Amino acid sequence: MFRPTPGDFRERYGLQEQTVILGVAYKWTRGKGFDVFATLADALDDSYKVVLVGVTEKQKKRLPPSVICLPRVTNPKELAALYTAADVFVNPTREETLGLTNLEALACGTPVITFDRGGSPECVDETCGKVVPCDDLPALVNAIDRVTRGGGVSPEACRAYASRFNAEDAFGEGYDAKVDPVIDRLEELEMRQRVVRDVLGGMDVCYLWHIYRCETYVAQQVARLKELYLVPPGNLQKQHLLRKSQ
């Protein structure tokens, strides 16, 4: 599903000579790094162009006018074309458990830069991108410059790294039936956690109790998977995600 996909995005927006920095989210929040892109766009010169996918009209007003804002893209082929058109995919998440968008970008041959938080760094190494300290804007800008203009990261290297997370090779027949329900439940819990965080805001007691219950459940399921399959749980999640993206 996600592979290098030609498109006319650069031509339509006149970006043939600019370095395109792409961000994608189902729902932009501070935890996803929405505020980082607002600051990043102002810190870069005119040779760069920030493109964000999944932005609402209300959020668009909070971003610099230089940012290209697109609504949520549900068509996988259209999304793959955007990943392919970008020079680098930036994922400044502070809370992500599973780096699905990282793997989608890599599968399209686009290098990834992400913060050192949650599970996002597990999907990136030096051959296909950079991991930088959370909220360190100078380090993020430097990483973008090194990845897009310093050389050393090729589309082939990105795709080669993404191909390491192939579920069929790791588990063979029966993988879907045995593992998918548990991993889907983990993804559902992650989404619920974000919703509670957005809705409850400062209600710390309720929020912390919800997080405790989520983390307890996740820990139990991870232990179960490790016992059943004798492989690191993080690898299970990444294998599952890339299988979904293909």
Side-chain angles (χ1 to χ4, degrees):
M1 184 182 298
F2 287 97
R3 58 180 62 87
T5 305
D8 64 349
F9 175 76
R10 281 181 174 271
E11 288 72 18
R12 281 190 288 118
Y13 286 87
L15 305 177
Q16 295 93 325
E17 303 301 322
Q18 289 184 284
T19 300
V20 176
I21 301 167
L22 180 66
V24 175
Y26 179 80
K27 178 183 178 183
W28 283 109
T29 62
R30 185 183 184 281
K32 280 288 189 180
F34 179 77
D35 59 304
V36 175
F37 281 104
T39 308
L40 177 63
D42 287 333
L44 298 170
D45 61 45
D46 292 340
S47 64
Y48 293 94
K49 178 62 70 173
V50 174
V51 178
L52 290 190
V53 177
V55 179
T56 66
E57 286 299 318
K58 184 177 180 180
Q59 289 174 325
K60 184 177 180 179
K61 297 175 182 178
R62 295 160 51 192
L63 292 167
S66 62
V67 177
I68 295 177
C69 299
L70 303 176
R72 186 183 304 160
V73 176
T74 57
N75 184 299
K77 187 174 181 179
E78 291 180 10
L79 187 55
L82 288 171
Y83 282 128
T84 305
D87 293 286
V88 64
F89 177 71
V90 173
N91 184 11
T93 179
R94 301 180 176 98
E95 63 181 14
E96 195 155 349
T97 303
L98 307 174
L100 175 58
T101 52
N102 293 350
L103 292 175
E104 290 174 349
L106 291 174
C108 293
T110 302
V112 173
I113 298 174
T114 191
F115 282 163
D116 60 349
R117 287 291 184 274
S120 188
E122 295 182 20
C123 303
V124 184
D125 72 2
E126 289 293 318
T127 68
C128 61
K130 299 286 183 185
V131 177
V132 300
C134 185
D135 291 320
D136 189 335
L137 183 64
L140 179 58
V141 172
N142 181 60
I144 291 171
D145 182 69
R146 290 179 62 188
V147 168
T148 60
R149 300 178 180 181
V153 179
S154 67
E156 292 76 20
C158 294
R159 286 181 53 76
Y161 187 81
S163 69
R164 296 169 55 182
F165 308 114
N166 187 291
E168 296 298 328
D169 292 344
F171 299 104
E173 281 188 55
Y175 170 81
D176 291 354
K178 294 177 182 178
V179 180
D180 276 11
V182 177
I183 302 299
D184 286 341
R185 178 59 175 157
L186 298 184
E187 293 174 343
E188 178 188 342
L189 281 172
E190 182 191 27
M191 182 61 69
R192 286 175 55 194
Q193 179 175 322
R194 292 177 192 159
V195 171
V196 169
R197 181 172 297 166
D198 291 343
V199 173
L200 296 182
M203 299 174 64
D204 295 335
V205 174
C206 293
Y207 169 71
L208 290 174
W209 173 244
H210 174 82
I211 298 303
Y212 168 77
R213 293 194 63 184
C214 282
E215 291 183 351
T216 299
Y217 177 85
V218 169
Q220 291 171 345
Q221 296 303 319
V222 162
R224 175 172 173 266
L225 285 173
K226 188 173 182 179
E227 181 180 354
L228 286 175
Y229 300 102
L230 299 179
V231 296
N235 287 343
L236 271 177
Q237 293 174 342
K238 289 183 287 186
Q239 301 271 6
H240 169 85
L241 287 174
L242 191 66
R243 184 193 58 74
K244 276 191 168 183
S245 72
Q246 291 176 332

